Amino acid sequence: MRKILPGRLSLVIGTLVLMAAVATPVLAQFDMEFRDTRVDDILRVLAETYDENIAITGSISATTTVNLKGMDIEEALDVLLGGTPYTWRREGDEQQVLRILPKNTPVTEVFALSYTNADGLAQVIAAQVPAVVINAEPHTNSLIVGGPLSAVREVGWLVKSVDRYRAQVSIKAEMVEVTLTESDARGVDISALFSGTDATGRFSSLFSDGTEPTELRVATLQGDVDVSAVLTAIREDRSARLLSSPEITTLDNQAARVHVGERVPYQRATTETATGATLAEVEFIDVGVKLDVTPSVSDGDLLYLTVHSEVSEVLDQSVQNIPRIGTREADTRVLVRHGDTVVIGGLMKDNDVRVTKKVPLLGDIPLLGFFFRRDTIERTKTEFLVFIRPMILADPGDMLPDERARALREPFYDPTKR
C-alpha cells in the first residue's frame, strides 16, 4: 500500500479550484478539467487534493479528456475510470484506502442491511445482476456477494438505493353499527354530526342526489375528530354499538390486518380409507369484524389508503350443514392527510327480529299459552360505519437521543416540523 505523491504531469491542462469553506477533505468539491492526460497522472492529483490513500497496481497508461467539475472523490473516480478496464473499491479496517483494480478482479463483499429483509433482496439482486453469487445470512440480515469487482459494486449501488428507512403508520379505527330511525332512510348524516365543531371535511360524496343511498359513501374529516363524541351524538336518538376499536402500526406499503371474531368450522368432505375408516375434512370461515388497511406514504404528509372493511355473522346452516354467512363489506381507495379521519358508510342491512309479548305465567302454559301471547316480526335497519385515522410516525433515525426520548411521549409525526 502506498500513497501516490504528486509527480510531473506530462500533458495536464487545467485549473484546480478548492473550496475553502469545506471542513472535511473527503467531502470537498473542486473544479478540474483535463485534456489528453494520462489516467494515472490524474489519480496523483486526486490523491493530493483530497489527502486520500490511492493504491494502484502497475500503470494505467490510457489518456483521457475529462471535466470533473463539482464532484467529490468517489464521483470523480467513477467518471474517470468509467471508460477504462479499471474500477475502485475501499479497503482497510476504516475504509481508508482507495484501491484501483481491474473490473474483472474476483472479490467478496458483505452488505449489512438495516431495513430490508436479506432473503427477499437476495432474490431481487440475483435476477438483476446475474454475474454475482449472492447468499443471504439471516442471523445478521446480511448479503454475502461474490463475483467480478464491477458487478459487486453494482450490487452495492442497488443495496444503497433499496435499503432505506420505510415510514411507519399508526392506524386507529372505530367500527360502529347504528340502528337507523325512520328519518335515516339514506343512512346516518355524518355532516350533521360535525356541524358546529372544529372538524371540517368533504361531505359531498356522502350522499347521492337521488332518493336512494349510494352503495358506498366515503368522506374525509379534517382536524382532530373525537369519535367517542360522535358516538354520543348518534346515541341521542339512535341505538349504536361499538363493534371494534383496533389500533395497529404498520410499515409503508405493508398491509395491516385486524380480525375480531371467531372461526366457524364446517365439514367440507369425507374420505374413506382403505381400512374402512372415515376421515372428515374440516375447513374454517372467519366471521366477525375485519379491517385491512394498506397505507402508502407520499411526499409531505399525504397518505394513500387501500381499505377493506367487513362485518359478518352466521345466519344458519341450511345447506348440507354448511353455514350461511351474512356479510357487509366495502373496498375503497382514498387520499388523506396525516391526522385526518376517513369515514366509510352506506353499508346498510335489514334485520327481522321476532318479538314475543305475553301475559306473565299464563303465556308459558303449554297449548293454552298460545291465547295469552302474541308473536310479531319487527323490521329494523342498521348501518355499518368505519372511522379510520392514519398518523405517520416520526423517523427515529433522524432524531437525536433526547428527541427520541421525547418521541416516546409524543410518538406522532408533526408535518409542520418536517
Side-chain angles (χ1 to χ4, degrees), residues 16-19 22 24-34 42 46 49-50 65-82 88:
L16 176 63
V17 180
L18 296 178
M19 295 179 63
V22 177
T24 305
V26 174
L27 299 179
Q29 300 286 322
F30 62 91
D31 293 333
M32 185 181 295
E33 182 178 355
F34 298 92
I42 299 176
L46 297 181
T49 301
Y50 285 101
T65 297
V66 64
N67 187 349
L68 304 178
K69 180 179 179 180
M71 300 181 186
D72 61 27
I73 182 63
E74 295 185 356
E75 292 172 338
L77 288 176
D78 286 336
V79 173
L80 177 62
L81 301 175
W88 62 273

Side-chain angles (χ1 to χ4, degrees), residues 146-219:
L149 177 56
S150 58
V152 173
R153 290 201 62 223
E154 184 179 353
V155 171
W157 296 328
L158 291 174
V159 170
K160 185 177 180 180
S161 301
V162 173
D163 186 38
R164 296 182 296 176
Y165 173 80
R166 296 170 62 188
Q168 297 186 88
V169 180
S170 174
I171 299 171
K172 185 175 183 180
E174 310 278 350
M175 308 175 78
V176 183
E177 186 177 58
V178 181
T179 300
L180 304 178
T181 62
E182 293 182 356
S183 61
D184 296 324
R186 298 167 66 186
V188 177
D189 187 355
I190 300 295
S191 60
L193 298 176
F194 290 92
S195 59
T197 68
D198 295 333
T200 60
R202 295 182 292 273
F203 300 102
S204 59
S205 61
L206 272 173
F207 299 100
S208 63
D209 295 332
T211 58
E212 295 297 326
T214 57
E215 293 184 1
L216 180 64
R217 295 176 277 123
V218 180

